[in-house]
Amino acid sequence: MVTQYSIAVLPGDGIGTEVIAEAERVLEAVGDRFGIDFAMRRFPIGAAGVAAAGDPFPEETRAAVARADAVLLGAVGDPALDHAPRHLRPESGLLALRAQLGVFANLRPVTVLPALVDRSPLKADRLEGVDVLIVRELTGGLYYGEPRGREGEGASAVNTLRYSAAEIERVARVAFESARQRRRHVTSVDKANVLEVSQLWRETVTRVGQDYSDVRLDHLYVDTAAMRLVAGPQAFDVLLTENMFGDILSDEAAVLVGSLGLLPSASLGEGPGLFEPIHGSAPDIAGRDLANPIGAIATVALLLRHGLGLPEPAAAVEHAISLALEQGARTRDIAEAGAPALGTRAMGARIAGLIAEAQRSRAPVAR
Ligand code: IPM
Ligand code: MN
């Protein structure tokens, strides 16, 4: 009997639809190679949800993600809705999705691939061997705190930063457990010299750390962390942060690998996981076959490993990505100036082809 998994696919907006088509192509190739049936169904979110149902997180999508084994998302965002009321903004749909799934731990691995060391503006000797896992708290902090909103005539505004010790503890445990699979080092980021929330963060992470005496724990203020992340990224293993700091530091970390278009993420909680590349909808290049699908394809690897518990297919996807890059395949964002570049579809086809090829070369001679 063939195993079947149900994947809710939420392409979203802009380049989201283009990169997700390539992620689906890769999942098909994985299914063929490993004899797994991925039942993928698409549902709208973001501006696409507003267009389809007047809601950035439509009811149909809400119901579908609750039933799925895993959720694969492209990107949300549309400049046409920049000034829409908050409940109609594409980003509100994404935040509601994260909250509904309860995915409090966002894992953002940042690994510099040898083939791309020269694509970063930073010096190569700082980049070799860089392998950081950002663990970002995803369902609390400033993004969700109440009260929030414009006040009075709109001339002032408020957002609320609030964390409970329980919220800090559960994400800290994810960071320590992850560190145990890696180099056993957690760097926790805060602003404890100024913010009470950060003082609670530091106390709580320190207390949780006592359960992990085999893992080294350091604390850095966020400004220092931002500097060290580009000045000496090799020193980091697991970087644990609250929601907003993690959002900022993860875009900064993308500079290490050379392009935001390369980075995947996994958001985990109690129920089905949510898997999305960290890039946005990139309206400036949308619809032109220019986007890099590797972030979305690497996201498929995380979905297989963390969402479905399938480490071998996950490794096959990661191997195909590395191989394509070693063979010189480049999308425009990671190509040298003036060098030829593949479009979104051609890159997706190349990686899917490498997954299928590995299957052919492994097939027994006689059967
Ligand atoms: C990200 C994105 C989102 C975030 C936006 C689109 C709401 O920037 O996943 O990093 O800030 O979390
Ligand atoms: Mn971001």
Side-chain angles (χ1 to χ4, degrees):
M1 205 189 84
V2 180
T3 321
Q4 196 192 66
Y5 293 102
S6 113
I7 315 291
V9 180
L10 282 40
D13 308 322
I15 63 167
T17 56
E18 295 170 77
V19 299
I20 283 299
E22 302 317 312
E24 288 170 327
R25 191 205 296 261
V26 163
L27 258 179
E28 292 289 355
V30 169
D32 289 346
R33 171 161 160 198
F34 291 91
I36 306 168
D37 182 6
F38 298 106
M40 295 180 255
R41 283 191 59 202
R42 291 186 170 207
F43 300 91
I45 193 161
V50 174
D55 183 345
F57 188 30
E59 192 47 51
E60 179 202 13
T61 308
R62 258 172 219 274
V65 300
R67 286 192 312 263
D69 293 313
V71 181
L72 177 64
L73 181 128
V76 301
D78 184 342
L81 292 170
D82 274 354
H83 301 288
R86 180 150 52 88
H87 72 278
L88 289 179
R89 298 204 44 172
E91 292 80 3
S92 301
L94 177 58
L95 297 195
L97 169 66
R98 290 170 176 173
Q100 183 189 305
L101 293 174
V103 286
F104 60 86
N106 180 223
L107 274 44
R108 298 187 159 189
V110 179
T111 310
V112 175
L113 298 171
L116 293 181
V117 162
D118 67 334
R119 296 295 81 213
S120 170
L122 300 176
K123 294 198 176 74
D125 65 329
R126 302 285 166 93
L127 296 172
E128 271 149 26
V130 165
D131 179 10
V132 185
L133 177 67
I134 298 176
V135 177
R136 170 189 177 196
E137 200 291 327
L138 200 63
T139 52
L142 277 174
Y143 279 50
Y144 292 93
E146 299 281 350
R148 64 181 295 161
R150 302 292 287 257
E151 297 179 313
E153 303 290 284
S156 74
V158 62
N159 287 96
T160 301
L161 176 58
R162 175 182 291 108
Y163 270 107
S164 68
E167 284 174 289
I168 300 167
E169 173 164 349
R170 64 184 182 178
V171 71
R173 289 199 184 276
V174 172
F176 284 108
E177 294 291 340
S178 305
R180 279 191 167 159
Q181 312 297 316
R182 301 168 46 94
R183 303 191 305 281
R184 296 177 185 263
H185 179 197
V186 171
T187 305
S188 175
V189 174
D190 62 46
K191 190 69 185 174
N193 49 346
V194 178
L195 303 176
E196 286 78 4
V197 171
S198 281
Q199 289 156 9
L200 177 66
W201 183 276
R202 192 175 281 222
E203 278 165 35
T204 307
V205 173
T206 302
R207 174 169 54 73
V208 173
Q210 288 164 358
D211 293 345
Y212 298 86
S213 54
D214 54 322
V215 178
R216 187 172 125 217
L217 171 64
D218 308 321
H219 304 273
L220 284 183
Y221 296 139
V222 62
D223 47 353
T224 311
M227 184 183 65
R228 299 254 181 101
L229 196 55
V230 285
Q234 287 139 332
F236 292 104
D237 178 18
V238 175
L239 197 63
L240 168 64
T241 87
E242 61 94 53
N243 201 344
M244 178 84 155
F245 295 162
D247 180 45
I248 298 168
L249 293 177
S250 55
D251 271 32
E252 188 192 1
V255 176
L256 306 171
V257 299
S259 170
L260 197 55
L262 292 165
L263 293 183
S265 86
S267 305
L268 308 175
E270 301 298 316
L274 169 63
F275 300 85
E276 46 176 318
I278 81 163
H279 62 68
S281 59
D284 52 325
I285 58 163
R288 293 162 57 199
D289 196 38
L290 289 174
N292 189 341
I294 291 181
I297 294 170
T299 295
V300 165
L302 297 187
L303 183 153
L304 292 165
R305 181 178 296 115
H306 298 289
L308 305 179
L310 300 170
E312 203 195 329
V317 172
E318 283 158 355
H319 179 69
I321 293 171
S322 302
L323 201 59
L325 292 169
E326 278 160 29
Q327 292 173 353
R330 298 284 185 272
T331 42
R332 198 195 54 149
D333 55 319
I334 50 173
E336 278 175 52
L342 298 178
T344 310
R345 290 191 291 267
M347 180 62 99
R350 181 75 64 91
I351 295 168
L354 288 168
I355 292 169
E357 216 168 84
Q359 175 178 32
R360 279 195 294 279
S361 63
R362 275 182 178 196
V365 184
R367 20 176 190 185

